[in-house]
Amino acid sequence: MIADRIFASISLLLIIIYGYIAFYIIKAPFQYDPLGPESWPQILSIVSGFCALYLLIKPDNISLDISKSVFLRLVIVTILLFGYSFAYEALGFIFATVLFCGLFSRLLGANSLNSIYFGLALGILGYILCALILELNLPAGPLENFLGQFYG
């Protein structure tokens, strides 16, 4: 119960800082859709602020006992997410996603071959969906020359 309030307080402080940035610092030179680059951070800060306030006012009464193996997996997932964020620009979306999803599925108990298939499927299909169909700007990394022939 006290841990929930500490977490909610720290989260609320970070959300307030994020909200300030979202409302006063992020300014896009143009808006290419109705919910453009300024709106999403603003919406996220408002919704997450309400969630943190709710948790601060009404914390959960259920205690959570985490075994050492579950805690270790949580730490590994956190490290994987940080690694993904750093590898995203350098390796590009496809390689970073293949690596992250393959390791993550392996951590969840998939065998090595299925982990490789899963990572490849998410990396390639995710790139096709996001970059080619939705026309989002994703980093191509080392595959920039190869992928450039498909969309420009």
Side-chain angles (χ1 to χ4, degrees):
M1 192 164 173
I2 189 79
D4 285 351
R5 286 204 166 115
I6 292 170
F7 174 75
S9 299
I10 293 169
S11 296
L12 191 58
L13 177 68
L14 293 173
I15 291 165
I16 290 170
I17 294 168
Y18 180 78
Y20 177 80
I21 293 169
F23 280 92
Y24 297 108
I25 295 178
I26 296 176
K27 298 295 176 203
F30 62 90
Q31 204 150 335
Y32 47 86
D33 65 49
L35 290 176
E38 294 176 5
S39 301
W40 285 112
Q42 293 170 353
I43 293 168
L44 181 63
S45 66
I46 292 169
V47 171
S48 55
F50 280 126
C51 292
L53 280 173
Y54 178 79
L55 189 58
L56 189 64
I57 294 167
K58 190 173 184 210
D60 199 1
N61 291 330
I62 300 170
S63 68
L64 182 63
D65 294 328
I66 298 177
S67 68
K68 287 182 183 179
S69 66
V70 171
F71 183 75
L72 180 64
R73 284 184 180 191
L74 288 172
V75 169
I76 292 171
V77 167
T78 304
I79 292 168
L80 282 175
L81 285 169
F82 273 106
Y84 181 71
S85 70
F86 287 112
Y88 186 74
E89 283 289 328
L91 297 178
F93 177 86
I94 294 176
F95 285 144
T97 303
V98 167
L99 189 61
F100 172 76
C101 291
L103 291 171
F104 187 67
S105 63
R106 186 75 179 117
L107 181 68
L108 292 176
N111 65 37
S112 297
L113 192 59
N114 287 341
S115 295
I116 293 168
Y117 290 150
F118 178 72
L120 284 170
L122 260 110
I124 294 169
L125 294 175
Y127 190 84
I128 290 170
L129 175 69
C130 294
L132 302 179
I133 296 173
L134 297 176
E135 297 180 357
L136 298 175
N137 233 353
L138 296 179
L143 296 174
E144 187 170 355
N145 291 333
F146 174 73
L147 295 171
Q149 60 188 319
F150 293 109
Y151 61 92

